[in-house]
Amino acid sequence: MRFMMIVKASNESETGRLPSSEELGEMGKYNEELVKAGILLAGEGLYPSSKGSRVTFSATGSTVTDGPFTETKELVAGFWIIEVKSREEAIAWARRVPFKDGQVEVRQVYSAEDFAPSDPTGEHRAKEEALRAQVEAKAKA
C-alpha cells in the first residue's frame, strides 16, 4: 500500500526560510531510515506558495491565480511517498518525522486496482501501466 505523508505548511515555512544545518541533518537521518527500510518511493520539500500558482477549473474554462495564498493551514510544504503494509505502519513512520512543531497528514494513494469497477475491460489500466513503464524507463536512462 502506498501512502503520502503530507507536510502541512506553517507561517514559518511560508517565509521561505531554509532549514538549519541541524534540521537538515535530522531530516537526512530520517530519510536514511526510510531508505534502509526499503519503503521510500519519493520525497521533496516545496517552495512557499508565493512562488506557486493555482489553476481553478469551471464549466467555462480555467483561471490562474498566483500565490501567495493566505490559508496556510490548507497548504503543503513537502511530502514523502512510502510503500508499507498498512495504514498503521504509515502512521508509525509519520510519528517518527523529526519535527519539533508542525503537522503531517497521512493519506493512502489509490492503486490501479481501486479503479477496476470503473474500468471493467482493463483498457484504462493497461494504458496507465504503459505510461508508468515509460516514466520508469526515462528515470533509469
Side-chain angles (χ1 to χ4, degrees):
M1 303 171 87
R2 290 177 298 149
F3 286 85
M4 178 179 265
M5 298 190 305
I6 303 163
V7 178
K8 303 300 269 192
S10 66
N11 289 332
E12 185 177 359
S13 70
E14 278 294 288
T15 68
R17 180 190 76 82
L18 294 175
S20 68
S21 180
E22 179 184 331
E23 291 167 327
L24 281 176
E26 290 173 1
M27 194 59 62
K29 287 178 187 174
Y30 177 72
N31 289 338
E32 285 178 26
E33 291 175 22
L34 294 171
V35 170
K36 285 179 183 174
I39 64 170
L40 182 64
L41 301 178
E44 303 292 340
L46 302 175
Y47 276 88
S49 70
S50 60
K51 300 197 182 259
S53 301
R54 282 186 180 157
V55 180
T56 304
F57 299 91
S58 69
T60 59
S62 62
T63 57
V64 176
T65 306
D66 290 331
F69 306 114
T70 57
E71 291 296 323
T72 304
K73 66 182 181 188
E74 296 178 7
L75 299 176
V76 175
F79 68 91
W80 291 273
I81 298 179
I82 60 173
E83 189 159 11
V84 293
K85 293 182 177 116
S86 67
R87 177 179 176 270
E88 292 73 24
E89 185 179 356
I91 291 170
W93 278 102
R95 293 185 74 164
R96 294 174 63 182
V97 172
F99 291 167
K100 292 174 182 58
D101 192 24
Q103 187 177 52
V104 175
E105 181 178 334
V106 178
R107 304 262 305 270
Q108 187 171 353
V109 177
Y110 278 108
S111 67
E113 294 80 26
D114 295 324
F115 295 101
S118 299
D119 184 21
T121 66
E123 174 186 355
H124 299 292
R125 178 195 261 175
K127 287 180 182 178
E128 180 67 23
E129 288 173 0
L131 289 173
R132 287 182 187 272
Q134 289 177 19
V135 169
E136 283 185 33
K138 184 175 180 183
K140 289 179 182 178

